[in-house]
Amino acid sequence: MAYHLLQRDPSGAARLAAALSQALARTRHCEKCNNYAEDPVCGLCSSPRRDPTQLCVVEAPGDLLMMEQAQCYQGLYFVLMGVLSPLDGIGPREIHLDRLIQRAADGMVREVVLATNFTVEGEATAHYIGEALRARGLKVTRIARGLPVGGELEHVDSGTLAQAVLERREA
Ligand SMILES: [Zn+2]
């Protein structure tokens, strides 16, 4: 892309550079959800159409976007901007745990939905956050693992199938 811009589209390169530096200068973190925003509180957090009793915790802005595209959730979010990873020096402070606890204890939130990834770090982070929030009397849930929509049993990995069986519910 860099070669293409340099060779064929110098004015496009200049526009891209200006857009990036503007974004860098204007972008901050939303005071409530910690996502990238241009205002102190982002549009999603200030929307009256969202359910303030539910707070969904995700690792990254891209995860929030996926949740929104799935159109399955009407509550609010908190974006950790990372996962716990002690070997990389990422602890509770780096994932803004204090801010999350403060946010979840606003008196409106009734349920915190943990939607971190199902990786070793994501699971450890969900566990750690869950313990911290439950200790403060909050209801904490975790999104379920399962088979992909349209998936066939014979093509799914054994770990996913085993989890789907363990987390089965009444039909
Ligand atoms: Zn926000």
Side-chain angles (χ1 to χ4, degrees):
M1 185 178 150
Y3 284 132
H4 173 82
L5 285 171
L6 286 171
Q7 283 178 4
R8 317 237 173 221
D9 191 6
S11 71
R15 283 201 304 278
L16 180 64
L20 281 174
S21 77
Q22 249 186 18
L24 268 176
R26 281 191 200 162
T27 305
R28 55 167 97 188
H29 290 277
C30 169
E31 285 168 12
K32 293 187 85 175
C33 70
N34 198 37
N35 198 4
Y36 294 118
E38 287 193 8
D39 299 311
V41 175
C42 76
L44 206 152
C45 285
S46 48
S47 167
R49 282 195 291 273
R50 307 297 300 207
D51 177 0
T53 67
Q54 287 189 316
L55 187 70
C56 178
V57 178
V58 293
E59 289 179 21
D63 302 331
L64 187 158
L65 222 60
M66 282 306 295
M67 287 285 294
E68 286 300 286
Q69 279 173 12
Q71 297 188 340
C72 57
Y73 176 73
Q74 282 304 309
L76 297 168
Y77 292 93
F78 188 89
V79 185
L80 299 171
M81 296 287 177
V83 268
L84 289 177
S85 180
L87 290 178
D88 300 313
I90 302 174
R93 221 168 69 99
E94 282 69 32
I95 61 165
H96 314 282
L97 188 63
D98 284 353
R99 279 185 57 200
L100 168 59
I101 289 170
Q102 210 180 3
R103 173 69 190 85
D106 72 344
M108 297 284 279
V109 175
R110 293 276 160 270
E111 177 187 1
V112 179
V113 183
L114 300 176
T116 54
N117 293 327
F118 289 102
T119 55
V120 174
E121 292 88 358
E123 291 277 38
T125 303
H127 181 77
Y128 192 89
I129 292 175
E131 295 282 295
L133 293 174
R134 274 189 208 99
R136 287 162 178 82
L138 285 152
K139 180 188 172 188
V140 182
T141 57
R142 176 88 169 110
I143 55 168
R145 273 166 293 213
L147 298 170
V149 172
E152 295 172 22
L153 294 199
E154 67 170 318
H155 296 130
V156 92
D157 67 281
S158 55
T160 302
L161 181 56
Q163 279 300 331
V165 173
L166 284 173
E167 293 176 24
R168 68 189 181 279
R169 54 183 172 75
E170 265 182 58

